[in-house]
Amino acid sequence: MDDHCGVNGLAWLEEQPRALGWIQSVSGPPLVPRRTRNLVRLGLLEKPLWLDVYAALPPLREPVYRVPRPRHGGARDPIAPIFYREDSVRARFYKVYGNGPRPFDLTQLNFKSTCQRFVEKYNELKEEGKIEEEKLFEETGKALLASGILLQRRGVDKVAQQEQQGAGSRDPALQLQLQMVLEELQEKRKDGKEQPPELAGAQKENPCPS
Amino acid sequence: RPRQPAGPAVSAACTPAEDDKLLTEPLSHPDFFSVKELFTLKDLFDARVHLGHKKGCRHRFMEPYIFGCRLDQDIIDLDQTMQHLQLALNFTAHVAYRGGIILFVSRKRQFCHLVESTARACGEYAHTRYWQGGLLTNAHVQFGPGVRLPDLLVFLSTLNNVFEPHVAIRDAAKMNIPTVGVVDTNCNPCLITYPIPGNDDSPAAVELYCKLFRMTIIRAKDKRRHMPLLQFHGTGSASRAPALGTAGWLGKGPPSPVHGDPTAVTAVEGL
């Protein structure tokens, strides 16, 4: 039988171990798909024109069907999450300032967001080493302000709540006075309940003077 | 619509030995069509080929091709993509060089027109509509006897409208037709002969793929048109220049359909 299979000839085909469906062949992927090769050898299929090309330039993995089964045991995710050292700075930036004043323009390939500038400034100041770790964040904010980027702290509601709580604690004397007034009012209400009929009638007439 | 194959009468001027050399010589080079210079890693990155779907959509068999997971979004390893893309484009080029029929398949409505126009530009075929059950497996009933099936299927997206694997992948594997396909992180790359791990949802990425396939196929066909002339020029026997048909390429008759009936071949259809 004429065979034009590949550059090496057909001799190596006889040496191919019969691969079981669920085990990849130990010697590496066969140079030609097994089913096609067998059909051509038996004469049931005309030799397709891609066979030589496949034999000369095989893929990295043989296209064999595998049953997709879920992982057993504990969920072991083999893919590592990608994190950088600057992510801690970025997280703090977003928490404090929100998205930043300038929207992201993804149409430009080398677009630098406010957060990215912040991170770069932070790294610069960190490398200089003159500022302490705790104050680095605020100093970066000030440096960016100096270069013209206005950063607004997010969460105005939270700030207002803090102010209210602060107002309550500022005047304890006022609070004591209010408490005394409240107690007097409660006593007066108790006295009022002990003498219901006269006062009730008097009170009922009062709201409608006309 | 099936293309009429080139008849053997056209290559009468070439001896079988020269024809053989025409076909086997490109296989001895690892990159005969210089497919590597068509794209760089930066091109892939700029076209956002590395962006995959979210972690929950990940297919288990795509894990080897994924670089990592950034805030729950999978990032595809572009070094591997470069390798796979080079192999896939090389294979496509060789198939086109040998006069194979290439069918572009994509079920993404967003890119249906782009895929069809790419196919038209190459002189090849596209199928971006609903895939009827027996198009490959029952071709003789669907189209009539003596139909020539495609020699390569190129998937710009391996999923269909309901995010299941496209039926054509399984059918091509049944019919011994090799497949080249762009597999995203939610696709199954098992049955695809030459998978290309990459993004199949961004317009930039799909335009890049279409451009690359179009350039490789046109390059391969041009090479095929000029190879015999170069060979003859080299050997010095210019008088034996072969007759070029209107199809623009020269070749042996392609293999007849699967059940072995040789069909009567008359016209050579142009691109």
Side-chain angles (χ1 to χ4, degrees):
Chain A
M1 191 183 86
D2 272 338
D3 55 66
H4 307 280
C5 266
V7 192
N8 302 326
L10 268 177
W12 49 267
L13 286 174
E14 311 307 325
E15 298 155 19
Q16 284 289 316
R18 179 164 170 83
L20 293 165
W22 50 277
I23 295 176
Q24 293 278 347
S25 54
V26 176
S27 54
L31 283 181
V32 151
R34 190 162 37 91
R35 190 157 54 88
T36 323
R37 179 244 301 172
N38 287 334
L39 285 171
V40 169
R41 193 166 51 161
L42 292 168
L44 296 170
L45 181 68
E46 281 279 333
K47 188 181 160 216
L49 53 81
W50 55 267
L51 211 65
D52 290 339
V53 188
Y54 188 106
L57 309 159
L60 294 173
R61 179 197 163 261
E62 195 196 349
V64 179
Y65 180 72
R66 284 164 67 191
V67 182
R69 293 229 163 86
R71 295 208 129 87
H72 292 289
R76 286 158 272 151
D77 192 7
I79 292 171
I82 299 172
F83 283 121
Y84 303 99
R85 282 196 190 279
E86 309 92 68
D87 281 348
S88 52
V89 182
R90 285 193 188 119
R92 209 172 152 196
F93 174 88
Y94 284 123
K95 197 172 173 186
V96 171
Y97 296 115
N99 268 346
R102 205 157 53 114
F104 281 66
D105 183 13
L106 293 174
T107 50
Q108 295 175 33
L109 283 171
N110 41 3
F111 175 78
K112 225 179 251 188
S113 63
T114 322
C115 181
Q116 186 58 27
R117 290 200 193 187
F118 188 95
V119 163
E120 283 171 3
K121 200 78 190 189
Y122 187 96
N123 285 337
E124 271 176 36
L125 294 174
K126 197 172 179 183
E127 271 172 38
E128 282 174 13
K130 293 173 192 170
I131 310 167
E132 296 158 3
E133 293 273 341
E134 297 94 22
K135 295 194 185 164
L136 210 54
F137 194 81
E138 289 150 24
E139 290 300 317
T140 330
K142 288 178 197 169
L144 280 185
L145 197 69
S147 59
I149 302 166
L150 186 68
L151 293 169
Q152 206 180 41
R153 283 182 176 255
R154 75 155 186 185
V156 184
D157 297 333
K158 286 185 187 171
V159 173
Q161 279 174 17
Q162 280 170 5
E163 276 179 353
Q164 280 173 8
Q165 285 170 12
S169 60
R170 266 178 224 154
D171 291 332
L174 184 64
Q175 248 193 336
L176 274 172
Q177 281 180 15
L178 286 169
Q179 264 185 327
M180 282 169 66
V181 168
L182 193 64
E183 281 166 13
E184 282 169 15
L185 278 172
Q186 280 175 347
E187 281 172 18
K188 277 183 187 171
R189 269 186 201 161
K190 277 185 193 170
D191 295 334
K193 278 180 188 171
E194 282 167 6
Q195 305 162 22
E198 293 171 5
L199 279 170
Q203 275 170 7
K204 272 184 188 172
E205 282 170 8
N206 283 336
C208 318
S210 63
Chain B
R1 115 196 108 86
R3 185 161 71 185
Q4 298 296 330
V10 183
S11 58
C14 266
T15 58
E18 277 162 359
D19 267 341
D20 221 18
K21 194 186 161 194
L22 211 67
L23 291 178
T24 53
E25 199 212 321
L27 292 179
S28 49
H29 299 249
D31 194 6
F32 187 70
F33 302 98
S34 327
V35 143
K36 269 186 192 160
E37 60 184 44
L38 287 176
F39 61 95
T40 59
L41 197 88
K42 187 158 194 312
D43 290 339
L44 294 184
F45 184 81
D46 290 340
R48 307 191 264 284
V49 163
H50 59 291
L51 299 176
H53 288 275
K54 286 281 192 178
K55 193 163 75 172
C57 300
R58 191 193 300 158
H59 192 101
R60 206 178 139 185
F61 298 148
M62 286 301 292
E63 276 159 10
Y65 306 119
I66 292 174
F67 178 76
C69 194
R70 173 69 171 165
L71 303 175
D72 277 1
Q73 183 179 14
D74 287 331
I75 306 293
I76 296 166
D77 189 359
L78 283 182
D79 293 322
Q80 291 191 54
T81 304
M82 290 273 284
Q83 230 182 341
H84 284 92
L85 190 56
Q86 194 261 324
L87 279 172
L89 289 176
N90 209 1
F91 186 82
T92 319
H94 280 277
V95 170
Y97 178 85
R98 285 156 176 253
I101 293 181
I102 298 173
L103 183 67
F104 288 88
V105 178
S106 168
R107 204 58 183 97
K108 285 218 147 56
R109 290 192 64 175
Q110 194 180 4
F111 309 117
C112 140
H113 179 77
L114 174 65
V115 171
E116 287 176 348
S117 46
T118 310
R120 191 180 299 125
C122 306
E124 297 293 344
Y125 302 84
H127 186 105
T128 54
R129 315 285 170 178
Y130 175 72
W131 182 277
Q132 284 186 334
L135 277 185
L136 289 180
T137 43
N138 204 13
H140 302 297
V141 168
Q142 297 255 2
F143 296 111
V147 176
R148 188 181 157 188
L149 291 179
D151 299 298
L152 177 67
L153 290 198
V154 176
F155 288 89
L156 276 306
S157 165
T158 49
L159 297 181
N160 61 14
N161 276 359
V162 284
F163 301 102
E164 284 169 359
H166 202 291
V167 169
I169 299 174
R170 190 202 65 196
D171 284 353
K174 281 186 186 175
M175 302 302 292
N176 298 300
I177 299 170
T179 40
V180 161
V182 177
V183 278
D184 206 346
T185 48
N186 54 353
C187 306
N188 188 349
C190 279
L191 281 178
I192 297 165
T193 328
Y194 293 87
I196 303 168
N199 189 6
D200 62 3
D201 298 296
S202 295
V206 177
E207 278 168 14
L208 177 76
Y209 300 133
C210 286
K211 185 188 89 173
L212 290 174
F213 279 114
R214 190 184 66 235
M215 284 168 76
T216 27
I217 293 170
I218 291 175
R219 202 180 262 208
K221 287 185 174 170
D222 284 344
K223 204 127 195 193
R224 184 52 187 262
R225 221 178 302 151
H226 298 131
M227 272 291 276
L229 299 174
L230 286 169
Q231 277 193 340
F232 285 116
H233 209 70
T235 54
S237 47
S239 55
R240 287 209 294 126
L244 289 171
T246 51
W249 86 82
L250 184 74
K252 286 188 212 169
S256 21
V258 177
H259 59 260
D261 287 335
T263 53
V265 163
T266 47
V268 173
E269 198 174 73
L271 293 170

